[in-house]
């Protein structure tokens, strides 16, 4: 292929020159000049690291640059005549903010130009906009410029100075699979319902912003959604019934908003759910029937809501449940005996409710239990836990603030800090049952007495105590069965 030449050395030189020529032409073809120019504009709008133009030279994709990932064109052109393939390189992913990726300069602006990169699949802006003196507008090009975008993952996280609303034209990024706009305290306003047009969305994380208004009903159209996290915003109104259509959903976190109304029964249709968090809202009323249909549910975290209803025994049928946290929610009635069937349970938090009656003896069989908080309720009777269970929990057991509870002396020795008085008297079971009712002067009860000695309350204290005494006399034999 090389033309004839006088000597072998000149042939070698010629070959070398030819080779270089091929390399240079390869390099020139490696990236479209317009795309390269767009990349430089993106770099310059965000990064302070270097002079990208002179540093990256003709071909930014030729050598590895932090924060920049290139890939060959999907339709790479083959050159004719057996020559090496010339491949067009494209920007596929840009990462800004956290070293080793380029950090952002204090005057960084939102890199709208990035959306013009034709093959961009991922854009990550993490810990980027944080200049306390300059708010950075959350600006995205017009919808028409986004419709040909191939962006699959957009992640805008931990940007305290990013401000504005969620741009409605995000709905035009039809290739999006993962949309994360999280921990940007100055991002406010409503969630544009058009986000429901992102039919390929698998994960939507809008947690820890300042979003307000209702959760759009249309989110129920995102049938491929596996994770939905809207926690730590100020969403108000009720939980849309249509969210129950998200049958692929594994994680639903709506905690720490301003949601009201009841938990819709449609949520029992979320058959893939493993994690459900609804804490810190204004939700009230009974939990919907059918929650035990959520067979894969491992975490049910729903503290601090004014539920004011009984605990459904059905919860005890969610066999995979590991954490059941329902503290501080006005639950009344007794702890269902069925909770003793939750063999996978590691954490049960029911503190600060209005629960009454005895602690189900079955809990003591739960070998994985690691954290049990039943404090600040109206539970009474003898604590039914055996020594092994008490040791298993150690300091992670809290029964304090239940004046009617007592623990038999030998068990009290196992865990001194359980927060409950020792049952007094000779026959452990009978005496402790009586003591818990106020008759025998157990420590827990004496605390109760102090509260009521001087007032009319004393009268009211002793009267129900006498009634309890009768009740407990009736169950005394049962008590001894549980204890022995
Ligand atoms: C949107 O597209 C038009 C036409 O291609 C172009 O002139 C304009 O610069 C683009 N705007 C942005 C913000 O990218
Ligand atoms: C929550 O809603 C109540 C009543 O609608 C309102 O008074 C309160 O300001 C809201 N709180 C937040 C944090 O939005
Ligand atoms: C729970 O008990 C507290 C204190 O006894 C009481 O003020 C409150 O109204 C009760 N709540 C419910 C929902 O029963
Ligand atoms: C139980 O819950 C109360 C809140 O009511 C908290 O103060 C206490 O530390 C918890 N106990 C344990 C052992 O976690």
């Amino acid at each position: 292929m090389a033309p004839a030449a006088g000597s072998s050395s000149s042939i070698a030189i010629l070959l070398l020159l030819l080779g270089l020529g091929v390399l240079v032409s390869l390099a020139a073809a490696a990236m479209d000049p317009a795309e390269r120019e767009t990349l430089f504009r993106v770099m310059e709008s965000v990064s302070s690291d270097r002079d990208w133009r002179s540093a990256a030279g003709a071909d930014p994709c030729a050598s590895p640059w932090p924060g920049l990932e290139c890939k060959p064109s999907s339709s790479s052109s083959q050159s004719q005549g057996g020559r090496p393939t010339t491949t067009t390189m494209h920007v596929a992913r840009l990462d800004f903010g956290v070293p080793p990726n380029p950090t952002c300069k204090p005057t960084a602006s939102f890199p709208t130009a990035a959306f013009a990169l034709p093959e961009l699949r991922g854009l990550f802006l993490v810990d980027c906009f944080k200049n306390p003196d300059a708010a950075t507008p959350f600006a995205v090009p017009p919808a028409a410029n986004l419709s040909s975008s191939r962006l699959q993952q957009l992640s805008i996280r931990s940007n305290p100075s990013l401000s504005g609303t969620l741009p409605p034209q995000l709905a035009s990024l039809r290739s999006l699979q993962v949309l994360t706009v999280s921990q940007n305290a100055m991002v406010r306003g409503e969630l544009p319902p058009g986000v429901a047009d992102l039919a390929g969305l698998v994960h939507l994380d809008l947690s820890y912003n300042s979003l307000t208004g209702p959760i759009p009903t249309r989110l129920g159209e995102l049938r491929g959604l596996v994770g939905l996290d809207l926690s730590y915003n100020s969403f108000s109104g009720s939980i849309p019934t249509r969210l129950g259509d998200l049958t692929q959903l594994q994680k639903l976190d709506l905690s720490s908003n301003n949601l009201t109304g009841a938990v819709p029964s449609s949520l029992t249709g979320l058959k893939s759910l493993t994690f459900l968090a609804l804490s810190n809202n204004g939700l009230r009323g009974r939990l919907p029937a059918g929650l035990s249909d959520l067979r894969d549910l491992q975490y049910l975290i729903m503290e601090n809501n004014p539920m004011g209803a009984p605990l459904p025994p059905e919860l005890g049928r969610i066999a995979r449940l590991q954490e059941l946290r329902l503290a501080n929610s006005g639950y009344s009635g007794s702890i269902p005996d069925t909770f003793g069937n939750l063999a996978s349970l590691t954490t049960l938090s029911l503190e600060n409710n209005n629960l009454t009656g005895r602690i189900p003896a079955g809990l003591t069989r739960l070998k994985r239990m690691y954290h049990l908080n039943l404090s600040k309720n109206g539970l009474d009777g003898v604590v039914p836990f055996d020594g092994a269970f008490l040791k298993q929990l150690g300091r992670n057991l809290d029964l304090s603030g239940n004046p009617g509870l007592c623990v038999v002396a030998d068990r009290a020795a196992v865990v001194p800090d359980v927060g409950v008085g020792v049952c007094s008297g000779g026959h452990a079971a009978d005496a402790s049952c009586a003591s818990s009712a106020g008759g025998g002067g157990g420590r827990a009860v004496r605390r109760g007495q102090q509260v009521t000695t001087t007032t009319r309350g004393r009268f009211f204290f002793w009267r129900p105590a006498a009634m309890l005494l009768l009740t407990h006399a009736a169950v005394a034999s049962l008590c001894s069965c549980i204890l022995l």
Side-chain angles (χ1 to χ4, degrees):
M1 51 189 221
S7 70
S8 59
S9 67
S10 60
I11 289 175
I13 289 167
L14 203 70
L15 280 174
L16 190 67
L17 286 174
L18 266 176
L20 279 175
V22 167
L23 274 181
V24 167
S25 66
L26 249 184
M31 202 169 174
D32 175 69
E35 184 176 346
R36 189 176 59 218
E37 177 58 26
T38 304
L39 175 63
F40 287 149
R41 279 199 288 129
V42 172
M43 292 300 196
E44 285 158 3
S45 70
V46 176
S47 165
S48 56
D49 275 11
R50 64 191 98 221
D51 179 355
W52 284 93
R53 249 170 233 279
S54 55
D59 185 9
C61 286
S63 53
W65 289 99
L68 168 65
E69 224 177 86
C70 298
K71 71 169 185 64
S73 166
S74 36
S75 56
S76 61
S77 58
Q78 298 278 327
S79 69
Q80 291 83 34
R83 291 254 194 83
T85 308
T86 54
T87 313
T88 310
M89 296 299 282
H90 295 283
V91 179
R93 175 174 164 142
L94 286 170
D95 262 287
F96 292 104
V98 180
N101 298 318
T103 53
C104 301
K105 57 185 177 184
T107 55
S109 59
F110 199 85
T112 49
F115 295 97
L117 293 165
E119 296 288 335
L120 192 68
R121 297 295 199 273
L123 175 60
F124 296 78
L125 297 157
V126 179
D127 216 5
C128 180
F129 310 107
K130 49 188 177 184
N131 181 353
D133 300 323
T136 306
F138 189 169
V140 167
N145 294 49
L146 301 177
S147 51
S148 59
S149 161
R150 298 187 171 181
L151 202 61
Q152 293 171 348
Q153 189 165 3
L154 176 59
S155 189
I156 301 166
R157 196 157 49 79
S158 295
N159 297 292
S161 71
L162 185 69
S163 78
T165 57
L166 285 178
Q169 59 271 39
L170 289 177
S172 300
L173 296 167
R174 294 299 166 87
S175 299
L176 272 189
Q177 295 168 4
V178 178
L179 176 57
T180 303
V181 181
S182 174
Q183 300 171 50
N184 311 290
M186 284 169 69
V187 171
R188 56 181 199 283
E190 299 202 356
L191 168 53
V195 166
D197 294 332
L198 300 171
L201 219 50
V202 177
H203 288 282
L204 178 59
D205 178 1
L206 302 175
S207 59
Y208 292 90
N209 297 299
S210 300
L211 302 174
T212 52
I215 296 174
T217 289
R218 286 195 56 205
L219 287 191
E221 294 169 26
L222 293 169
R223 296 301 166 87
L225 217 52
V226 168
L228 176 59
D229 188 349
L230 305 178
S231 63
Y232 291 89
N233 281 285
S234 296
F235 287 112
S236 55
S238 54
I239 299 173
T241 303
R242 291 284 304 280
L243 289 191
D245 295 343
L246 301 172
T247 53
Q248 305 295 309
L249 209 57
Q250 292 172 16
K251 174 185 170 176
L252 176 60
D253 193 345
L254 305 177
S255 38
S256 298
N257 278 290
N258 210 359
L259 301 170
T260 51
V263 177
S265 59
S266 64
L267 293 196
T268 63
L270 301 175
K271 301 284 191 259
S272 307
L273 217 54
T274 60
F275 180 99
L276 175 59
L278 302 171
S279 294
N280 306 320
N281 279 292
L283 301 169
R284 63 175 70 236
R286 288 171 186 264
L287 287 167
L291 273 181
S292 63
D293 293 348
L294 304 178
R295 300 200 172 282
D296 292 330
L297 197 63
Q298 293 170 22
Y299 299 86
L300 177 53
I301 301 173
M302 210 184 147
E303 305 189 318
N304 299 319
N305 283 286
M307 299 295 280
L311 291 171
E314 197 193 359
L315 288 179
R317 297 218 309 268
I318 310 178
R320 299 206 168 93
L321 214 51
Q322 290 176 28
E323 289 196 16
L324 179 56
R325 291 174 24 197
L326 302 170
N328 198 23
S329 300
Y331 287 108
S332 55
S334 57
I335 301 173
D337 287 331
T338 56
F339 283 17
N341 299 329
L342 292 169
S344 306
L345 210 59
T346 61
T347 295
L348 178 60
S349 302
L350 297 173
E351 69 268 21
N352 213 8
N353 281 295
N354 286 14
L355 298 168
T356 51
R358 289 181 301 111
I359 297 174
L363 294 185
T364 202
R365 291 194 307 260
L366 302 179
K367 295 294 175 240
R368 304 218 174 122
M369 187 80 89
Y370 161 79
H371 194 174
L372 176 57
N373 199 338
L374 304 177
S375 68
K376 298 187 192 161
N377 279 290
L379 301 167
D380 61 29
V382 179
V383 173
F385 302 145
D386 60 25
F389 188 74
L390 292 172
K391 274 198 193 110
Q392 177 185 326
L393 290 167
R395 289 181 179 277
N396 292 326
L397 173 64
D398 194 339
L399 302 174
S400 63
N402 292 284
L405 279 181
C406 75
V407 63
V408 289
D410 61 330
R411 313 259 156 92
V414 177
V415 269
D417 291 334
V418 77
V420 173
V422 180
C423 309
S424 64
H427 299 293
D430 293 19
S432 54
C433 287
S435 126
S436 72
R443 257 193 265 149
V445 174
R446 262 189 247 119
R447 240 183 273 138
Q449 277 175 312
Q450 280 164 16
V451 177
T452 51
T453 32
T454 55
T455 62
R456 229 154 54 95
R458 179 174 184 145
F459 174 70
F460 290 110
F461 175 73
W462 285 106
R463 247 187 28 156
M467 288 162 64
L468 278 171
L469 208 63
L470 285 175
T471 324
H472 280 273
V475 298
S477 53
L478 184 61
C479 275
S480 10
C481 289
I482 292 162
L483 283 164
L484 302 172

